[in-house]
Amino acid sequence: MKTTLSIIKADVGSYCGHQRCHAKLMEAANGVLKEAKESGVLIDYYIGRCGDDMDLVMTHDKGEGNEQVHKTAWNAFVSATEEAKKLKLYGAGQDLLSDAFSGNVKGMGPGCAEIEMEERKSEPVVCFLMDKTDPGAFNLPVYKMFADPFNTAGLVIDPNMRGGFKFEVYDIYENKRVILNTPEELYDLLALVGSTSKYVIKRVYPGPGNKVPEDEPAAAVSTDKLHQIAGEYVGKDDPVAIVRGQSGLPAVGEIVEPYSFPHLVAGWMRGSHVGPVYPCSMDKSDPTRFDGPPRIVALGFQLAEGNLVGPNDVFADPAFDRARRESLAAADYMRRHGPFQPHRLPPADMEYTSMPKVMEKLRERFKPVE
Ligand code: F6R
Ligand code: MG
Ligand code: MG
């Protein structure tokens, strides 16, 4: 039997403003997922959150993009939306962009990362949940995990990893993808994924010689762009990712090591600002200051015949206190730029916020320069 690990997430209402997913919403989702487990659609599940986003971590034997599993997640969000409306929570139902479910959550608002795998003798996985940022925020850390020997000692020391890793990169504007092999094509990879608003790492596969089969992803990232689906700004995408670890893949410590550096990401207030990522426990994931700074939570599990053992809330560890302090110092520095770049996003990215509406009234007043 192959196990599929699916994270499907959405913001269907929060308090106060865009800060925290309410416990009642998680309870409502739990009712739906519990039933799906009892009826055999799911093997197991865990309901997490990061800030205002609810993250359904689900296991099953049905493969990626399965209609029953996606419908279960959709129904959980619909049920949570009903609660959110009763409580008059902010943005109730905001990420459910369609009135009716059709086959798969793709293109309907919720974000999704999935991996189907042959469970190894022991299968450690880390589920990353983010709030107030977009999928490109994963480019730098995932690159480091799988391609940077200064981060991942295994690339140098573990013979299993000597064949490197293959990166599947999406061009999210052109809707195209390319696979690049590392270490051979490292510079080409960086040429692309350094442009975080256009190119995003979708999956990473083991290279030749790895114990994990070459066609089984070692990592998967949600790349759903809400503004492309809705045609206007409806909140940031707040991505999720799954990373498998150990025995020929990066160790769990190598998977979380990139977050010792609070790198700058796009998102934060009104999805329009550059700010440092803030690694934190689930309980500390409410984005408060200037609706941020952008949060990341890491939940570590072991899979046991599809059952989820855990989670370990990794960034609760004081070993990440220093990264948090650095993040707050970087937040202060960036905030002092107010509405100026590079704190505010460049004009091309502002096109996908509420800015064009503001610019509309100035348009006629622009005259040609003689
Ligand atoms: C960012 C985000 C928030 C809102 C902001 C304004 O992803 O969700 O920063 O953009 O709070 O929200 P509205 O326009 O709903 O008042
Ligand atoms: Mg919200
Ligand atoms: Mg959010």
Side-chain angles (χ1 to χ4, degrees):
M1 180 200 86
K2 283 198 173 186
T3 302
T4 307
L5 175 60
S6 304
I7 312 179
I8 304 186
K9 52 84 39 188
D11 171 0
V12 290
S14 49
Y15 75 105
C16 60
H18 287 287
Q19 291 181 344
R20 178 183 275 244
C21 174
H22 198 284
K24 285 222 161 128
L25 273 55
M26 295 166 89
E27 261 171 50
N30 186 58
V32 176
L33 267 51
K34 190 163 174 277
E35 214 178 286
K37 184 175 169 176
E38 281 159 8
S39 68
V41 173
L42 300 180
I43 299 173
D44 204 0
Y45 67 88
Y46 177 83
I47 302 177
R49 72 166 184 103
C50 184
D52 59 8
D53 290 276
M54 178 155 58
D55 302 273
L56 312 178
V57 179
M58 301 173 289
T59 54
H60 52 94
D61 58 5
K62 299 184 167 44
E64 295 179 24
N66 178 268
E67 179 161 359
Q68 274 179 296
V69 173
H70 281 231
K71 176 108 174 88
T72 298
W74 181 264
N75 289 346
F77 293 133
V78 169
S79 175
T81 297
E82 283 162 20
E83 276 306 315
K85 284 183 177 158
K86 275 188 226 155
L87 298 170
K88 283 184 68 178
L89 296 187
Y90 199 67
Q94 72 162 48
D95 285 359
L96 303 186
L97 303 178
S98 169
D99 291 337
F101 176 79
S102 67
N104 189 306
V105 294
K106 201 169 179 310
M108 300 182 78
C112 176
E114 298 181 287
I115 296 182
E116 185 182 34
M117 66 187 97
E118 198 71 63
E119 263 186 39
R120 296 170 290 164
K121 200 168 87 191
S122 183
E123 189 62 65
V125 292
V126 181
C127 297
F128 287 107
L129 321 174
M130 291 186 112
D131 189 28
K132 304 291 185 275
T133 185
D134 63 15
F138 276 117
N139 283 8
L140 183 148
V142 172
Y143 162 76
K144 280 188 166 182
M145 287 170 213
F146 290 96
D148 179 5
F150 279 70
N151 180 86
T152 296
L155 293 167
V156 180
I157 293 171
D158 183 347
N160 250 298
M161 291 167 83
R162 274 307 174 90
F165 290 92
K166 294 175 288 186
F167 286 73
E168 182 181 351
V169 176
Y170 277 14
D171 175 335
I172 47 180
Y173 288 95
E174 300 289 326
N175 219 10
K176 287 184 175 161
R177 66 195 181 110
V178 61
I179 296 194
L180 293 168
N181 302 319
T182 58
E184 311 88 277
E185 297 179 297
L186 204 62
Y187 299 157
D188 290 327
L189 175 68
L190 287 171
L192 297 182
V193 304
S195 296
T196 51
S197 60
K198 181 168 167 63
Y199 298 102
V200 297
I201 298 171
K202 176 66 186 174
R203 292 186 190 85
V204 183
Y205 293 92
N210 202 299
K211 280 193 277 188
V212 178
E214 279 190 56
D215 59 350
E216 256 189 30
V221 178
S222 68
T223 48
D224 317 77
K225 275 276 197 192
L226 276 171
H227 69 72
Q228 286 170 339
I229 303 165
E232 60 173 350
Y233 184 73
V234 283
K236 269 284 166 191
D237 316 287
D238 304 339
V240 292
I242 301 169
V243 184
R244 300 166 68 192
Q246 307 289 155
S247 299
L249 301 179
V252 171
E254 291 165 337
I255 292 170
V256 296
E257 175 66 6
Y259 297 98
S260 62
F261 166 55
H263 67 296
L264 295 172
V265 299
W268 207 348
M269 175 56 76
R270 297 176 187 277
S272 310
H273 293 82
V274 173
V277 80
Y278 185 85
C280 57
S281 65
M282 198 155 69
D283 192 44
K284 296 275 195 297
S285 69
D286 303 344
T288 54
R289 183 182 176 192
F290 200 55
D291 286 359
R295 308 280 151 153
I296 182 155
V297 167
L299 302 179
F301 295 94
Q302 288 286 145
L303 298 184
E305 309 310 327
N307 289 293
L308 289 161
V309 181
N312 181 23
D313 194 342
V314 182
F315 294 145
D317 184 355
F320 286 91
D321 282 352
R322 186 181 156 152
R324 286 187 269 271
R325 278 199 303 277
E326 263 187 47
S327 172
L328 297 181
D332 279 336
Y333 178 82
M334 295 305 286
R335 280 299 300 125
R336 285 161 72 187
H337 294 81
F340 287 84
Q341 280 183 253
H343 183 28
R344 201 171 76 189
L345 294 185
D349 296 334
M350 293 301 289
E351 284 299 310
Y352 300 104
T353 67
S354 46
M355 187 67 135
K357 286 178 188 153
V358 175
M359 296 302 285
E360 195 51 47
K361 74 173 198 303
L362 287 180
R363 213 168 301 277
E364 280 175 17
R365 292 175 55 190
F366 274 93
K367 305 289 177 233
V369 178
E370 299 307 327

